[in-house]
Amino acid sequence: MINHILGTRLDRESQTLEKVMVHSSEEDNDRGTYEAYIRTAAQARDITRSFLESVGPSNGAEAEAVLLVVSELVTNAERHAGGVKGFRLAAGPGSVVVTVSDASTDPPRLSRTNAFQPGGFGWYLVQELATDITVEVHSQGKSVRAVLPVAH
């Protein structure tokens, strides 16, 4: 069980970074949640590795799938949607939920890919690895939520 993990998040009103804790949430049956202010996919992967160590996925391939989805969602937000505006990880029974928010109201879309050129496969990978994906459009952009199976 998670006791706590110390991290940071941006307080939108004061525009300062504040400390946050990961904690068990009895209300929604999550084993833990983590929210952070990040700017790059590398930061998101580092935070996710620490988070996964805390929730203890028993399968290395499942942990790698979570890292890949985090990397793809954050990279897509950076490249196509005005940057990351929110990042959240949550662990529940048999799953990890990754939520990335950005400033664009345009939903993710599949792009035509050329096997001889880099890029264009991220959204395909997210769809293949996640058991459930939701895109919530709101007045300040959108949030993409991906649920991945993880045995704890």
Side-chain angles (χ1 to χ4, degrees):
M1 177 181 261
I2 299 172
N3 291 328
H4 67 277
I5 298 173
L6 192 58
T8 58
R9 134 177 106 196
L10 180 68
D11 181 321
R12 300 281 183 214
E13 291 182 25
S14 66
Q15 292 295 302
T16 60
L17 291 175
E18 61 183 20
K19 292 181 180 178
V20 295
M21 292 282 207
V22 175
H23 59 277
S24 290
S25 171
E26 301 299 326
E27 296 170 356
D28 56 10
N29 290 329
D30 282 346
R31 290 185 60 208
T33 60
Y34 185 77
E35 292 185 57
Y37 177 70
I38 61 160
R39 294 188 181 179
T40 67
Q43 286 176 320
R45 285 189 303 272
D46 289 344
I47 289 167
T48 303
R49 280 187 197 94
S50 295
F51 180 80
L52 292 171
E53 287 173 11
S54 296
V55 297
S58 60
N59 182 317
E62 291 173 343
E64 290 299 320
V66 173
L67 287 165
L68 182 56
V69 167
V70 163
S71 188
E72 292 299 335
L73 291 178
V74 169
T75 299
N76 286 347
E78 291 172 347
R79 289 187 181 163
H80 307 294
V84 177
K85 302 300 179 194
F87 178 74
R88 182 175 191 265
L89 298 168
S95 68
V96 169
V97 180
V98 178
T99 306
V100 177
S101 301
D102 60 49
S104 173
T105 57
D106 295 334
R109 58 185 165 84
L110 297 173
S111 61
R112 297 189 74 132
T113 58
N114 179 338
F116 300 105
Q117 295 180 346
F121 298 100
W123 190 237
Y124 289 103
L125 288 171
V126 172
Q127 290 180 324
E128 185 67 29
L129 295 170
T131 57
D132 185 49
I133 301 171
T134 58
V135 178
E136 179 185 338
V137 177
H138 43 81
S139 63
Q140 297 175 358
K142 71 177 170 298
S143 296
V144 179
R145 179 181 169 270
V147 179
L148 292 105
V150 175
H152 299 287

